[in-house]
Amino acid sequence: MKTHDFYYELPPELIAQTPIQRRDASRLMTLDKVTGAVGHHHFYDLPQFLRPGDCLVLNDSRVLPARLLGHREPTGGACEVVLLIDRGENTWECLVRPGKKLRTGARLSFGEGQLQGEITQVLENGNRLIRFSYQGIFLEILEHLGKMPLPPYIKEELQDGERYQTVYSREVGSAAAPTAGLHFTQELLASIQAMGVSVCYVTLHVGLGTFRPVKAEEITDHQMHSEYCMIPAETARIVNETKAGGGRVICVGTTSCRTIESWAGEDGTLQESAGWTDIFIYPGYRFKVLDGLVTNFHLPESTLIMLVSALAGREHVLQAYGEAVKEKYRFFSFGDAMLIL
């Protein structure tokens, strides 16, 4: 199966640059994974497609304000650093600009010296290891100095950083938001629980690799990025009880899907788990746990459109995307949503 099999034409003006005013007022396309039939709704209509005994699995990861703007010492030249992975002992793996100027031994300063860093290693993939020094609590300094690391297709500045966080985010560690969850409000979650639907949480810290294009001609030649994820014991219990009771497990976002599918047993049961996953889900994959998916509209030829195609079929997905373009849905991180059941 070739990467180009997952291409579709997208007018640039349909790429959402800012979040809409009310989270759950975004549009919601429904897609029947068996027939390919689509419907047009709003996200606040989601409860009408759920049943008592179902469960929603949400990713509670919180985005780090991981983009730091500073200068190189002693020259004063500008630099940009995006924190990717905490490697321990105040050292982070980072993306940097300008790469040519930031070699091993280079010293960096942010916020008039509140945060300082030294590049200790240039990695094979071009990322840098940077050892930071500071007074106080690192996450508090980041909240003060850092900016949200928005995806490369978003060109506008975000006025309110909380709009790139889900309302239930709590475990800090992502370099990008689990965007399918951005549509939920606390009120909508409460109404879903009141109708007898369980809500449970996993954690997957989203890496910027999620935006990395698939360059291989054959999708099976693509090397998937790794991300850290966790399934609490309570979530494993809820999911197992849902399946045993005949309910549906509906994941909110591809990150929640990849987490539970990474750690599910062959019989579809979950246990408390934690570790790194590089699972790559594409057509032909047999889902062990997931029955349905709430997700946004994804980039052409991306691993994420391949994942939704594994669930609903490539032809059905591309036809639905064509309908979304025709109906002028908003695409990608700040865009509209799709419910696949």
Side-chain angles (χ1 to χ4, degrees), residues 5-57:
D5 292 338
F6 298 89
Y7 179 79
Y8 66 94
E9 290 283 350
L10 179 66
E13 62 269 19
L14 296 185
I15 300 173
Q17 293 296 311
T18 55
I20 61 172
Q21 187 170 6
R22 179 180 155 192
R23 287 178 184 260
D24 64 356
S26 55
R27 295 168 78 183
L28 176 69
M29 175 181 281
T30 54
L31 174 61
D32 187 309
K33 64 185 180 183
V34 177
T35 67
V38 303
H40 303 287
H41 310 273
H42 287 91
F43 202 82
Y44 50 70
D45 298 320
L46 179 65
Q48 69 182 261
F49 301 103
L50 305 177
R51 303 194 291 250
D54 289 344
C55 83
L56 287 181
V57 183

Side-chain angles (χ1 to χ4, degrees), residues 261-274:
E261 290 295 322
S262 292
W263 301 107
E266 285 303 317
D267 61 353
T269 59
L270 290 181
Q271 295 181 344
E272 182 178 12
S273 308

